[in-house]
């Protein structure tokens, strides 16, 4: 399996994701944002971090970089694309995913371990999990408060385009288990064809038992053929 | 030629910052506050003497980068 | 053009000092030169009041690669790995503008570490605020915390721990000390010493603006009521540029084109260029027209004294410019040759084709003033606290009061704003005795802890100095680490006052004694004087940042109790010392009596015994006993796991308050399974270590037999409340 | 009564955001840009009919909360 990790100035989870992918024997190339060509790969990852310092709007400036033109056309052709945290923000800003990621409702950076519930495992990204499974993952962001209009929200809800929602340890999805104000506790969304996933939590941070859990590994396992 | 650009969240978009700022203002004793919304402001200096052309340039900047038109509106003023 | 009396004064120089300047120059100085002298000779850069005392500290042993005197200290942790670390204060700027002050403090300490060729792997901090009742405190707290997070999170270095304290003494002088820890190859450490003639002096990083001009002078002057109005230009941090600078420098460091490198910290271009030249016994000549400037019409004075952030000075070997420039271009950073090394031993500055300054380097560095300030040693408080004279209070109420106090409350409100996990090597986050960070790709880790105890130091600076080193040592042991070395940040009032100077001298004596005994050398540090307002000094507050090594990732301990039925032992003797304790302070607003004595022999003995038990896998959870005594430490273990404890009354000591809240030093709590009790008794006997059983782990009830019974969950609620309430927007 | 408040960094204070935004505008082909600086914008709706009193209120808000006067200046306009 080949993967490409796109690196922007200010990306800082690029090494972390590469380590997780390597663990599963992915062949990973790190692609600098100024490149104009993308190597053939089975998976494109846009990692977390603070591309361009999160200035203007998080992800807005990275969305204008050279390599994004390639990412967009790959996405439209059906390539698998995973955007984590800042990567999710970039996918939104470049239009591959719909909606907006606003400032956290508490107006503070939030970094902690949280729980998400898998609403549906019917996708290339989650097939190794069970629907209804609760995972412990880590979040670390300023702008993860997902927002979209009613129409799109219905579309997301009705077509299983929301794979994960924030929940508590018992799996209940409510205001109390919502860390950032995200509409309907949304932690990640797909595009219509389910080949592009954007998510705020970091699966790569839960890929090593020495550190915490391996709850995030299933995502990368699912992506292997 | 200088332009001022203000960018605000569209009305139907939740404004978490404005909400918290408004609440805080009330806490520190500011009364009569109906509402407050937060946005961005840019002061742009262009090397351009034709104000029509200038404004068009600034509009292009807003559309291409400064504003996210899915959630934001922008306003341009010559200053 | 010569300078006036007023100008000399405005630069914080005395007339005697100016006389010296004239002597070194052989003439009057011009304003630019005066500014340069003032920056180099002030307390912050010259250490003129502290140097003679700092020399007493032990700074060497077989693992120290670089002690104090460079940007950061370096120690050997085996396999060619070196750990590079330092702590630094950013107190004054943070009081004026908490967000930017704290953020740029983090930025500065990160540069000190990566300047030496290390990739930063962890950040820590020690922050002290005034009373929560002071109307400034809330704002300062939230500004400082989001500033620390805002910078570290963006650069992508995990902030893994620290300490937060509140006390009236910091009402007008908060403390913000930031520590950075980096990892380098021990054969590729970079130093600031210049070598060779006619080598290119290169400016890299951000452009120079008018920020923080005279920041270093500000840090060396006390506040008065007008300081807030004066609004000195504070520096704004740009963590994004820092991240680029970090990556660009580390990329350039992969080959051997750098002869010398120095970050532009306090007194920017002035101190960095002089430091390089002085260490290399060379001269340096700069063309200031080449300095990348952010604003129009910047003067040489402004360029030399600006404290714009995210800048570095390099000296490159011959013919390396082109390759080096490519790297900085890639990262969109300025890269400009602004001068060269010379054999004149002078700092020569040119601007608009004129020589605008010409100063012998030695006058700015080696010959900077050095003072043996007068000092008076404090008299030790001797009175013992008579517990029977105090108002009656129930043990459980005293416990809850301590757990819900600002100083002992759970700090998640703070630490949830720090990315603790980025870089995917954080094994233990904040909340325990030390943070634990894995060495990337290896089966070993380092432990880091930051500690201070101003109340002890105020009551007796020498004992306090010793205690804080010992506590730091204990915190490292508690996670299973072998303590290696420390950095320190000495926060004090004005050195011109004999009693403050006495506190300083005594604290250093205490630190020295403990470090020597524990073989725990000081490899870097920082001194922050003039923490006072309207002549009122803060309590002496030395902050110790310690680093230890763990060579077996399977043998890392934390404070979480593990299993019902296990026993908790107190290791170390309990006398019941209540002077300066949290019990008195939180329940009776008293801070009387001397601090607890330190017996270094016991300290070492007990610590090494505990470490052995951890390495053998016998100690399942470990917590040192510090502020609040046995009962608070037990409660912390219980809250951490959610399991309860059945606590036994002591067999001998009668007074339960003294037993449960006494802050005797050199003690630990350890959890072990019952069938290991026999094994450890032999070991303890052999090493002459006192121990007794104090509790048994049970379901969810926290109780002392026959005294009180609480639910662990209620302890957690009580412990978690304060920060939320204090910071709530309602 | 509505007010518009713009908050801008004082001259000489580093504007890291403006710097990056300006560079990006140039990269995406905007020419003639001399400079761009970023600030904040607030739209405040007050329950107040006297415009003097209103302005005083808004000034108070700026001083107490909205602006950080150590590095920022503010401007108030009735709209
Ligand atoms: N309390 C201290 N103990 C040991 N070394 C110290 C102490 N204070 C300062 N130093 C050392 O003195 C040198 C100068 O410190 P400083 O001026 O803070 O460095 P920088 O200019 O890099 O910030 C450093 O090498 C530092 O480690
Ligand atoms: Mg330095």
């Amino acid at each position: 399996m080949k993967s490409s990790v796109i690196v922007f100035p200010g990306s800082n989870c690029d090494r972390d994701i590469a380590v997780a992918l390597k663990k599963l024997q992915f062949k990973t190339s790190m692609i600098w944002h100024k490149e104009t060509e993308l190597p053939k790969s089975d998976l494109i990852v846009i990692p977390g971090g603070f591309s361009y310092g999160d200035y203007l709007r998080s992800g807005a400036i990275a969305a204008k970089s050279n390599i994004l033109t390639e990412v967009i056309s790959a996405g439209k052709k059906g390539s698998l694309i995973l955007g984590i945290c800042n990567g999710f923000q970039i996918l939104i800003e470049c239009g591959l995913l719909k909606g907006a990621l606003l400032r956290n409702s508490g107006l503070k950076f939030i970094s902690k371990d949280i729980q998400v519930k898998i609403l549906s495992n019917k996708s290339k990204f989650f097939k190794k999990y069970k629907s209804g499974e609760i995972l412990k993952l880590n979040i670390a962001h300023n702008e993860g408060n997902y927002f979209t209009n009613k129409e799109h929200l219905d579309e997301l809800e009705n077509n299983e385009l929301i794979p994960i929602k924030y929940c508590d340890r018992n799996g209940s999805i409510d205001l109390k288990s919502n860390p950032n104000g995200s509409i309907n506790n949304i932690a990640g969304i797909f595009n219509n064809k389910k080949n592009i996933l954007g998510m705020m939590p970091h699966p790569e941070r839960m890929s090593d038992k020495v550190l915490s859990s391996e709850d995030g590994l299933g995502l990368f396992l699912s992506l292997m053929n | 030629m200088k332009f001022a650009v203000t960018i605000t969240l569209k009305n139907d978009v939740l404004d978490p910052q404005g909400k918290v700022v408004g609440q805080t203002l009330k806490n520190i004793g500011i009364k009569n506050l109906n509402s407050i919304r937060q946005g961005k402001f840019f002061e742009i200096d262009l090397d351009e003497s034709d104000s029509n052309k200038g404004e068009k340039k600034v509009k292009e900047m807003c559309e291409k980068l400064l504003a996210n038109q899915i959630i934001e509106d922008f306003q341009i003023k010559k200053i | 053009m010569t300078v006036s009396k007023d100008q000399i004064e405005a630069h914080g120089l005395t007339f005697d000092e100016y006389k010296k300047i004239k002597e070194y120059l052989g003439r009057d100085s011009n304003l630019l030169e005066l500014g340069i002298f003032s920056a180099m000779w002030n307390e912050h850069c010259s250490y003129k009041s502290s140097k003679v005392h700092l020399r007493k500290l032990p700074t060497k042993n077989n693992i120290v690669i670089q002690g104090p005197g460079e940007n950061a200290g370096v120690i050997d942790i085996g396999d060619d790995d070196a750990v590079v670390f330092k702590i630094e204060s950013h107190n004054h700027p943070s009081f004026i503008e908490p967000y930017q002050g704290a953020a740029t403090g983090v930025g500065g300490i990160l540069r000190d570490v990566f300047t030496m060729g290390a990739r930063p792997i962890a950040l820590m901090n020690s922050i002290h605020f005034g009373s929560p009742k002071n109307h400034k405190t809330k704002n300062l707290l939230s500004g400082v915390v989001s500033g620390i997070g805002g910078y570290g999170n963006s650069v992508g270095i995990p902030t893994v721990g620290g300490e937060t304290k509140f006390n009236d003494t910091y009402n007008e002088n908060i403390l913000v000390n930031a520590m950075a820890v980096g990892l380098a190859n021990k054969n590729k450490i970079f130093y600031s010493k210049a070598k060779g003639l006619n080598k290119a002096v290169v400016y890299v990083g951000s452009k120079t603006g008018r920020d923080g001009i005279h920041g270093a002078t500000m840090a060396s002057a006390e506040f008065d009521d007008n300081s807030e109005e004066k609004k000195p230009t504070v520096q704004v941090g740009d963590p994004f540029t820092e991240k680029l600078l970090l990556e660009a420098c580390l990329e350039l460091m992969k080959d051997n084109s750098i002869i010398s490198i120095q970050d532009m910290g306090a007194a920017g271009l002035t101190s960095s260029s002089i430091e390089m030249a002085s260490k290399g016994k060379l001269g340096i000549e700069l063309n200031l027209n080449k300095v990348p400037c952010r604003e129009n019409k910047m003067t040489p004075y402004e360029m030399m004294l600006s404290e714009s952030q995210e800048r570095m000075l390099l000296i490159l070997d011959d013919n390396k410019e082109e390759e080096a420039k490519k790297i900085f271009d890639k990262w969109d950073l300025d890269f400009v040759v602004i001068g060269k090394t010379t054999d004149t031993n002078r700092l020569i500055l040119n601007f608009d084709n004129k020589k605008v300054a010409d100063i012998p380097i030695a006058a700015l560095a080696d010959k900077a003033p050095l003072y043996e300030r007068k000092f008076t040693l404090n008299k030790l408080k001797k009175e013992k606290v008579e517990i029977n004279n105090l108002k009656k209070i129930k043990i459980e109420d005293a416990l809850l009061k301590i757990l819900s106090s600002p100083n002992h409350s759970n700090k998640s409100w703070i630490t949830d704003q720090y990315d603790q996990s980025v870089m995917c090597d954080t094994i233990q986050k904040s909340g325990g005795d030390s943070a634990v960070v894995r060495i990337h790709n290896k089966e070993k880790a380092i432990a880091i802890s930051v500690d201070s105890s101003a109340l002890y130091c105020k009551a007796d600076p020498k004992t306090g100095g010793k205690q804080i080193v010992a506590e730091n040592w204990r915190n490292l042991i508690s996670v299973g680490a072998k303590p290696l070395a420390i950095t320190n940040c000495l926060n004090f009032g004005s050195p011109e006052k004999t009693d403050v100077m006495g506190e300083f001298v005594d604290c250093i004596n205490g630190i020295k004694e403990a470090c020597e005994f524990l073989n725990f050398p000081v490899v870097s540090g920082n001194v922050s004087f003039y923490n006072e307002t309207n002549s009122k000094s803060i309590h002496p507050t030395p902050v110790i940042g310690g680093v230890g090594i763990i060579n077996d990732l399977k043998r890392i301990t934390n404070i979480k109790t593990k299993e019902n039925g296990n026993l908790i032992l107190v290791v170390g003797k309990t006398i019941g010392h209540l002077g300066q304790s949290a019990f008195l302070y939180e329940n009776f607003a008293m801070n009387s009596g001397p601090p607890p004595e330190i017996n270094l022999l016991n300290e070492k003995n007990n610590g090494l015994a505990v470490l052995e038990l951890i390495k053998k896998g016998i100690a399942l959870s470990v917590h040192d006993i510090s502020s609040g005594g046995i009962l608070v430490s037990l409660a912390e273990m219980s809250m951490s796991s959610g399991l309860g404890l059945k606590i036994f009354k002591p067999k001998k000591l009668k007074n339960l308050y003294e037993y449960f809240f006494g802050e005797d030093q050199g003690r630990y709590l350890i959890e072990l399974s019952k069938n290991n009790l026999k094994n450890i008794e032999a070991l303890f006997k052999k090493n002459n270590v006192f121990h007794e059983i104090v509790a048994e782990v049970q379901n969810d009830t926290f109780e002392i037999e026959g005294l009180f019974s609480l639910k662990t969950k209620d302890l957690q609620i009580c412990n978690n409340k304060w920060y939320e309430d204090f910071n709530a927007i309602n």
Side-chain angles (χ1 to χ4, degrees), chain C residues 43-47 50-51 54 57 59 66-73 85-89 108-109 112 262-263 265-266 271 275 279 486-490 504 508 511 522-528:
Chain C
E43 195 64 62
H44 194 78
C45 287
S46 71
Y47 287 82
S50 56
K51 220 174 208 163
L54 292 176
L57 295 171
T59 60
Q66 175 66 53
E70 276 287 338
N71 284 306
F85 63 102
K86 186 177 175 203
I87 191 166
E88 198 160 67
S89 67
I109 196 65
D112 273 336
Q262 172 68 36
D263 67 302
S271 70
E275 193 144 321
K279 285 196 178 132
I486 63 166
T487 181
N488 68 107
C489 192
L490 306 175
F504 183 76
I508 289 193
I511 293 173
V522 178
V523 298
S524 61
N526 175 254
V527 177
S528 170

Side-chain angles (χ1 to χ4, degrees), chain C residues 226-466:
Chain C
N226 288 327
S227 298
E228 277 173 277
E229 273 72 58
K230 268 189 223 147
K231 286 169 198 153
T233 22
V234 296
Q235 303 110 288
V236 169
D238 181 359
F240 172 57
T241 300
E242 178 101 335
K243 166 75 174 166
L244 305 186
L245 191 59
L246 161 68
E247 297 302 338
C249 286
L250 292 182
E251 197 170 323
L252 180 60
M253 284 164 168
K254 281 190 190 139
D255 79 8
N256 43 11
S257 47
I258 297 178
I259 295 177
S260 147
I261 173 164
Q262 172 68 36
D263 67 302
M264 294 193 218
L269 193 49
T270 294
S271 70
S272 52
S273 55
I274 290 162
E275 193 144 321
M276 289 172 143
S278 151
K279 285 196 178 132
K281 304 257 174 292
L282 291 168
I284 201 163
E285 189 168 336
L286 304 179
N287 177 357
L288 296 181
N289 292 87
K290 294 267 169 73
V291 172
C293 287
R294 204 172 73 218
E295 317 289 343
N296 290 329
K297 297 199 186 122
M298 285 193 50
T299 64
Y301 182 95
E302 290 169 331
M303 288 180 217
M304 289 307 288
L305 296 179
S306 160
E307 293 195 346
S308 289
Q309 301 287 295
E310 294 92 20
R311 304 178 299 161
M312 292 266 193
L313 208 57
L314 318 173
I315 295 181
L316 289 183
D317 214 342
D318 298 336
N319 308 317
K320 298 286 188 184
E321 277 163 52
E322 209 176 307
E323 282 303 306
K325 187 165 186 318
K326 266 191 211 150
I327 293 174
F328 284 84
D329 284 349
K330 169 183 164 191
W331 294 99
D332 293 319
L333 294 165
D334 273 304
F335 176 102
V336 186
V337 178
I338 61 167
K340 59 171 196 262
T341 56
T342 67
D343 59 3
T344 60
N345 288 314
R346 303 179 77 83
L347 171 74
I348 295 177
L349 303 177
N350 300 306
F351 186 65
D352 288 350
N353 296 317
K354 274 192 297 247
K355 197 199 277 185
V356 288
D358 182 352
I359 311 174
I361 300 278
L364 293 165
D366 311 338
K367 291 189 192 157
L370 212 55
Y371 296 134
E372 295 223 25
R373 302 241 189 232
K374 288 209 184 85
F375 61 86
T376 49
L377 296 184
N378 296 38
K379 282 213 194 72
L380 180 61
K381 291 192 189 177
K382 279 270 188 272
E383 85 267 31
K384 182 172 185 302
V385 183
E386 241 343 301
I387 182 91
N388 295 326
N389 297 341
L390 297 174
K391 209 173 82 210
K392 284 271 169 294
I393 176 172
K394 282 194 199 152
I395 288 203
E396 63 269 37
D397 291 346
L399 171 67
L400 294 175
K401 190 86 193 259
I402 298 175
L403 291 181
S404 62
S405 68
N407 283 332
H408 296 87
S409 282
N410 182 303
K411 309 282 187 301
S412 311
W413 183 87
I414 295 175
T415 53
D416 283 355
Q417 297 183 55
Y418 302 148
D419 190 338
Q420 303 201 58
S421 309
V422 62
M423 294 186 93
C424 288
D425 283 313
T426 308
I427 294 177
Q428 196 164 147
K429 303 180 186 180
S430 50
D433 286 326
S434 297
V436 180
V437 178
R438 178 174 57 188
I439 301 304
H440 197 61
N441 270 334
K442 305 230 167 129
E443 287 297 308
K444 61 182 180 185
I446 53 167
I448 319 165
S449 175
V450 167
D451 301 279
S452 70
S453 60
L455 288 183
Y456 289 0
C457 286
K458 180 67 191 167
D460 180 8
K462 182 154 180 216
T463 305
K466 256 194 278 185

Side-chain angles (χ1 to χ4, degrees), chain A residues 12 16 55 111 205 208 211, chain C residues 154 238 416 419 423-424 438:
Chain A
N12 63 33
D16 301 353
Y55 298 150
S111 172
R205 294 185 181 187
D208 188 341
L211 304 182
Chain C
S154 176
D238 181 359
D416 283 355
D419 190 338
M423 294 186 93
C424 288
R438 178 174 57 188

Side-chain angles (χ1 to χ4, degrees), chain A residues 126-171:
Chain A
F126 290 93
K127 62 176 190 245
K128 287 276 156 66
Y129 294 106
K130 290 192 240 25
S131 290
E133 204 175 328
I134 297 167
L135 313 181
K136 180 167 92 168
L137 296 177
N138 182 269
I139 52 168
H141 58 248
N142 243 322
E143 276 112 4
N145 180 351
Y146 184 76
F147 180 85
T148 193
N149 60 36
K150 174 88 180 54
E151 201 178 311
H152 180 227
L153 188 62
D154 290 344
E155 192 183 324
L156 290 174
E157 291 282 9
N158 298 335
N159 298 300
E160 299 195 328
L161 298 179
I162 306 169
I164 46 175
K165 285 187 176 181
Y166 300 110
C167 66
D168 64 15
R169 282 194 182 83
N170 307 316

